[in-house]
Amino acid sequence: TVVQPLAPGLPKAPPVALANGLPSLGQLEKMGPDELDELFGLKPQFDMPPGTRRALNQVGVLSESEGGFPAGSLAAQPAALVTATLEGIKHPLVSRWGHILLRRALASRLDAPLDMDPVEFIAMRARLLNRLGEGQAARALVQDVDSANFNPALAGAALDAYLSTGDLLGICPVAQLKATLLKAPEWEMAKSVCRAYGGDGREAERQLDRALYYGVAPRIDVLLAQRYAGAAGDRRREVTIEWQGVTELNPWRFSLARTLGVELPANLRKGAAQYDFADVAIPAVSLTDRAAAADGAGARGVLSAQAMVDLYSQLWADPSIDDRDKGRAGTLRNAYVASAAADRVGAMRTLWGTNGADYGAQVLTAYAAALLPVSDAFIGDAPRIVGSMLAAGLDRNALRWGQLVPQGSAAWGLLALAQPNRATTVSSGSVSRFIDQDQSIGQRKSRFLVAGLAGLGRLDANTAAGFADDLKFDMARASVWSRKIDRAGQLDNPTLVALLAALGMQGTGWDKMTPRHLFHIVRSLEQVGLDGEARMIAAEAVARG
């Protein structure tokens, strides 16, 4: 049989398109089985029996009885306000306690505003948790939604959450049920990986080979996917990971490399500090690397003091780890169990460093500080001892030092803010002595002290205004943000106050925070019954100012 070629210059025939807007035959040939099943309605719409499907109201991890926020607290709020607030929080918060408060609000079982799509509301919360380095909380949040209810925004947030926790396979129920939900290269590769772990390694291998051949994603991304998929069954295939020419790290590369135990080039980790928090959450990461990232995660609020101690305890107890890598863990052990209190304080000083700039170390030693006897011998360390306890919320333990520390001292200032249920105002003479002794840059600690005491109602208005004038800041000046958070406090809406407080606490350090913002945040938190958070944020501001 002879096939007559087309005459030169004749146009090629256009792709044959099927009726009713279906893809062309060429497009159909490129589709995988999952996409074809979804296109032609061969895949079930739900993957759960009717009796087990979950509603889209009150989605979250924490109920109000478990410490979460009231479910209906945002239901009557304008969708535009909630959207602007959630999307406006783009950067880490300066405050550890502000971070913890925001995480709690986002993880609460909440109803969406009445005129907002509930799935979009959940997606915004998950995206923000991811930006905060809270991949575990984001993963728990998206897992509270049935796969059939996912939209593209929620699928993207979920994929980011699973990657940040080293749990790529967590996206498989959604990727298999709604294969066409996203068009991102990572989504296409994730579907292939899921197919491999679903038992169809041959088809997964074929799809990833095509992705590599057609350049669906950068070569390194596909190679990592091939290595990951190849671990699913007996069809082991040697895949060499080559980092030559790779100039940046992305969530896909970081997650798969860490999960597979592939060493990341040092140059890619430089300037990518956001991945340090993910290191803490991925079980496949070595204990030494997880411990190295723990102080930063603790200072941010991602890890609790107890979780940090547990991590270092595992490091100390692991016989496979060289003693040279256990130095910090050994020092921490001495801070807790050394027989002499002076030796415990000495170990804490070593962990804190000479200038105490490592706030994560103060979180790490919080419970050790709580075990110390109150003694004049340690009065010089009192500000850091008290600050360490308050970093973990141990206010009642810290108050034992109130009988010893001098009025107007740095430790006194922390306790004046942290003390619960104070019925009287603070002595203006003690505040003056604090200001006179303050050597912080721009007397930032004094500014925060006055703003915090005023917000808690522990300085009368005239006295606070006088100190503010002396320190050259204006608590009375209003802005759109201050009016919003003040109004939310007056209406007793703790969820909205928490979100607006976070909006006002963004920054790389406390030098980016103003005493005016602190005043409005503390006062509004106090008004809605979040006095514990108000006190801890105010004390943290002075400790870190």
Side-chain angles (χ1 to χ4, degrees), residues 221-242:
D221 295 350
V222 183
L223 291 175
L224 288 167
Q226 287 180 326
R227 172 80 71 87
Y228 199 107
D234 296 332
R235 293 178 55 81
R236 296 303 174 96
R237 178 180 174 186
E238 192 67 31
V239 178
T240 302
I241 305 300
E242 301 170 343

Side-chain angles (χ1 to χ4, degrees), residues 81-100:
L81 173 61
V82 176
T83 299
T85 303
L86 292 175
E87 296 294 341
I89 305 172
K90 299 182 182 298
H91 306 288
L93 309 189
V94 299
S95 168
R96 165 182 163 80
W97 283 103
H99 178 106
I100 293 170

Side-chain angles (χ1 to χ4, degrees), residues 32-256:
D34 287 336
E35 294 170 306
L36 290 171
D37 288 348
E38 189 172 338
L39 178 65
F40 292 108
L42 302 177
K43 184 176 290 188
Q45 188 175 6
F46 290 90
D47 59 348
M48 300 177 71
T52 62
R53 295 172 193 165
R54 295 167 292 184
L56 289 172
N57 62 315
Q58 297 188 18
V59 172
V61 181
L62 293 172
S63 66
E64 189 172 1
S65 63
E66 297 169 322
F69 286 86
S73 52
L74 296 180
Q77 297 300 318
L81 173 61
V82 176
T83 299
T85 303
L86 292 175
E87 296 294 341
I89 305 172
K90 299 182 182 298
H91 306 288
L93 309 189
V94 299
S95 168
R96 165 182 163 80
W97 283 103
H99 178 106
I100 293 170
L101 178 65
L102 177 59
R103 178 181 61 209
R104 180 175 147 213
L106 296 172
S108 295
R109 296 190 181 277
L110 298 175
D111 291 323
L114 288 177
D115 51 349
M116 181 186 288
D117 177 5
V119 178
E120 184 60 33
F121 178 55
I122 300 162
M124 280 194 290
R125 290 157 62 191
R127 284 199 300 268
L128 178 49
L129 285 167
N130 285 328
R131 291 199 295 273
L132 294 171
E134 291 287 353
Q136 290 177 312
R139 181 178 64 178
L141 180 64
V142 300
Q143 286 175 338
D144 206 33
V145 181
D146 292 346
S147 301
N149 292 323
F150 272 60
N151 66 5
L154 185 56
L159 181 57
D160 288 342
Y162 286 119
L163 287 174
S164 69
T165 53
D167 183 22
L168 175 60
L169 299 182
I171 199 65
C172 289
V174 181
Q176 291 170 338
L177 186 69
K178 306 191 101 176
T180 60
L181 205 54
L182 293 175
K183 297 299 182 185
E186 293 82 3
W187 182 259
E188 299 301 322
M189 292 186 291
K191 289 191 300 182
S192 299
V193 171
C194 291
R195 180 170 288 279
Y197 282 84
D200 194 355
R202 187 181 296 275
E203 176 61 22
E205 184 178 311
R206 187 185 69 83
Q207 290 177 354
L208 290 172
D209 283 343
R210 292 186 60 180
L212 188 62
Y213 180 79
Y214 287 107
V216 170
R219 178 179 176 81
I220 184 62
D221 295 350
V222 183
L223 291 175
L224 288 167
Q226 287 180 326
R227 172 80 71 87
Y228 199 107
D234 296 332
R235 293 178 55 81
R236 296 303 174 96
R237 178 180 174 186
E238 192 67 31
V239 178
T240 302
I241 305 300
E242 301 170 343
W243 293 101
Q244 292 87 348
V246 180
T247 59
E248 64 178 348
L249 200 58
N250 62 28
W252 180 269
R253 294 166 193 169
F254 175 83
S255 179
L256 269 65

Side-chain angles (χ1 to χ4, degrees), residues 440-441 443-445 448 510-511 539-545:
S440 61
I441 298 174
Q443 291 195 298
R444 192 181 300 136
K445 289 179 180 287
F448 287 154
W510 282 94
D511 58 323
E540 181 188 356
V542 174
R544 303 179 71 181

Side-chain angles (χ1 to χ4, degrees), residues 96 100 277 293-305 308 359-360 363 391:
R96 165 182 163 80
I100 293 170
F277 302 119
D295 281 14
R300 175 73 62 86
V302 174
L303 282 186
S304 68
M308 294 174 73
Y359 190 67
V363 179

Side-chain angles (χ1 to χ4, degrees), residues 39 70 98 177 197 201 216 218 341 384 426 440 471 480 519 526-528:
L39 178 65
L177 186 69
Y197 282 84
V216 170
R384 289 196 288 184
V426 173
S440 61
L471 293 166
V480 173
F519 166 72
E526 176 82 7
Q527 284 179 317
V528 297

Side-chain angles (χ1 to χ4, degrees), residues 496-509:
L496 190 56
V497 166
L499 297 180
L500 288 167
L503 186 66
M505 282 193 283
Q506 299 179 80
T508 55

